[in-house]
Amino acid sequence: MSIWKAIINNLPEVEGPSQKFLPFKEKLKWTLIVLVIFFVLGIMPLFGLGQNQLERFEFFSVILGAEFGSIISLGIGPIVTASIVLQLLNGSGILKLDLTKPEGKKTFQGLQKLLAIFFIIFESSIFVLMGGLSPDPALTDNPIYGQIQMILIFQLFLGGIMILFMDELVSKWGFGSGISLFIAAGVSKSIFVQAFNWLPGPEGIAGITYSAGAIPALFQSLAAGDPITAGIMAATLIFTVIVFVVVVYAQAMKVEIPLSFGMVRGHGVRWPLSFFYTSVIPVILVSALIANFQLLGSFLDNREISLLGTFNTLGQPTSGFVYWVQPINIVRTILQQGTIFVGAAPYLQALFYILFLMVGAMIFSMFWVQTAGMDSRSQARNMMNSGLQIPGFRRDERVLERLLDRYIWPLTIMGGLAVGFLAGFADITGVLSSGTGILLAVMIVYRLYEEISKQHMMDMNPM
């Protein structure tokens, strides 16, 4: 155990700021620097890349904050996967870490970084050696083929390490976390491109080629007298706006617990507990889990192992577990066939996908509350350390914990189910980018706005 502690304590890390509170401009500067580096890395192609079989998984690249074919093809996948594994091990009791103590938190963070590095190496090797990102097939019998594979693996490893440390840099010197920032940046770019791209896209329903962007294609299809394409584009834009409004409204929902300062009579605060108590983290985790299932299923199917399902020549799941956890655009299906009676299979697939997201988000939400110090006991301890107590009750941590239990667990379960449902609903209605992506982006930007407003207020009113 001492060897593991020595390894964890000597892992490279980004040094945190010496002052307790960083100025607003300093945080903004580092956040923008990391954002620019992220976009630059996303347009740097892999040297020696011949075939990019991962282009078919563009839906998952947005969620993973990745650009398949670039140096950051791994995105935040290894970091999120490491978090999932550690949460499962700690939540099940296999790995016993007391996250209420500084030593337990430090060990957890060290193990997470160590596991993330392992998954960076593992996923880099899997992507290249199993054909996802491979050299030119014409070089298969050439002696340099293996060397190019190693070069590709090294580039992916380098990009994964840079994402890992940029995430740590944002967490310590910027606003929010790097994971959330990368997802929001990727989704925002995807929404803008899919909404306004005027370049020619795939052939439309009536055999006419329209622009790839939804807004130009809407006007072009109306001018061409193509009601089906116009309806699909209009539905895409309408449901995007609906999801945006619903998420912003739900994000603002919160329970406020009145508390008072024990040492200052007559003064108190309201401690807010958001309806989405665990924010977007559960959806990120369950979406990353689905992405890993899809990628693993595709690689296995290429080796004629149909353990998770089968794929067609376009890389789309056709059977098995991966088929049922793939989102289906039910609105497009209905508009194309001109009737709501399109058979039971599309509706069953959409229902299974939504239920999987809801249950998965709820489970990960419960795990996250326990591992991130958001449970009733940790919150009660934080309140007591801040000198707060319930008006009319004696100053006792157990009393405060029992009160918080009435709110935190219901909010954890209901919030996880709700955020999973919204993500699933957005996916099956075919919003711009991806349903999960736009949901994550809206909630991340909302939280980022709250944090920036809080930081600005602290700078203006230090007391």
Side-chain angles (χ1 to χ4, degrees), residues 52-294:
N52 183 3
Q53 298 289 345
L54 300 180
E55 288 180 334
R56 68 185 78 169
F57 298 110
E58 183 182 357
F59 164 76
F60 298 110
S61 69
V62 174
I63 298 173
L64 295 176
E67 288 289 344
F68 291 146
S70 74
I71 195 171
I72 55 170
S73 295
L74 299 181
I76 63 171
I79 304 174
V80 175
T81 305
S83 177
I84 292 175
V85 172
L86 273 184
Q87 285 191 62
L88 291 175
L89 291 176
N90 197 56
S92 62
I94 298 176
L95 185 66
K96 297 181 180 179
L97 293 175
D98 187 0
L99 299 179
T100 60
K101 297 180 179 179
E103 184 66 24
K105 288 184 179 180
K106 184 178 180 181
T107 304
F108 184 87
Q109 292 170 355
L111 287 174
Q112 184 173 351
K113 180 180 288 187
L114 194 63
L115 201 57
I117 295 173
F118 165 77
F119 278 114
I120 289 172
I121 299 173
F122 177 74
E123 292 186 18
S124 300
S125 304
I126 289 293
F127 278 16
V128 175
L129 299 180
M130 300 192 73
L133 299 169
S134 59
D136 191 340
L139 300 174
T140 303
D141 298 326
N142 196 304
I144 66 171
Y145 186 82
Q147 298 175 8
I148 297 178
Q149 283 185 319
M150 293 299 104
I151 293 174
L152 287 173
I153 292 175
F154 174 75
Q155 292 176 83
L156 291 175
F157 169 77
L158 185 62
I161 291 295
M162 292 183 71
I163 289 290
L164 178 64
F165 286 109
M166 285 196 298
D167 170 52
E168 191 174 348
L169 177 62
V170 173
S171 300
K172 292 181 178 180
W173 290 87
F175 292 106
S177 68
I179 292 177
S180 299
L181 183 67
F182 301 148
I183 292 175
V187 174
S188 300
K189 184 187 76 172
S190 178
I191 291 174
F192 182 83
V193 170
Q194 293 187 28
F196 298 101
N197 187 4
W198 66 86
L199 298 177
E203 190 175 281
I205 304 298
I208 305 174
T209 300
Y210 301 110
S211 295
I215 293 177
L218 173 61
F219 291 104
Q220 292 169 3
S221 57
L222 287 173
D226 184 359
I228 296 179
T229 302
I232 292 173
M233 296 304 164
T236 298
L237 296 171
I238 291 171
F239 279 110
T240 300
V241 174
I242 290 174
V243 170
F244 178 85
V245 173
V246 171
V247 173
V248 171
Y249 177 79
Q251 182 70 19
M253 294 172 56
K254 60 186 66 175
V255 176
E256 293 185 337
I257 302 176
L259 299 173
S260 63
F261 288 101
M263 303 299 293
V264 183
R265 183 165 304 192
H267 291 272
V269 296
R270 291 184 175 273
W271 192 280
L273 298 175
S274 299
F275 176 64
F276 293 141
Y277 184 62
T278 50
S279 187
V280 297
I281 299 299
V283 173
I284 294 176
L285 296 177
V286 73
S287 297
L289 185 63
I290 293 176
N292 286 331
F293 277 133
Q294 296 278 6

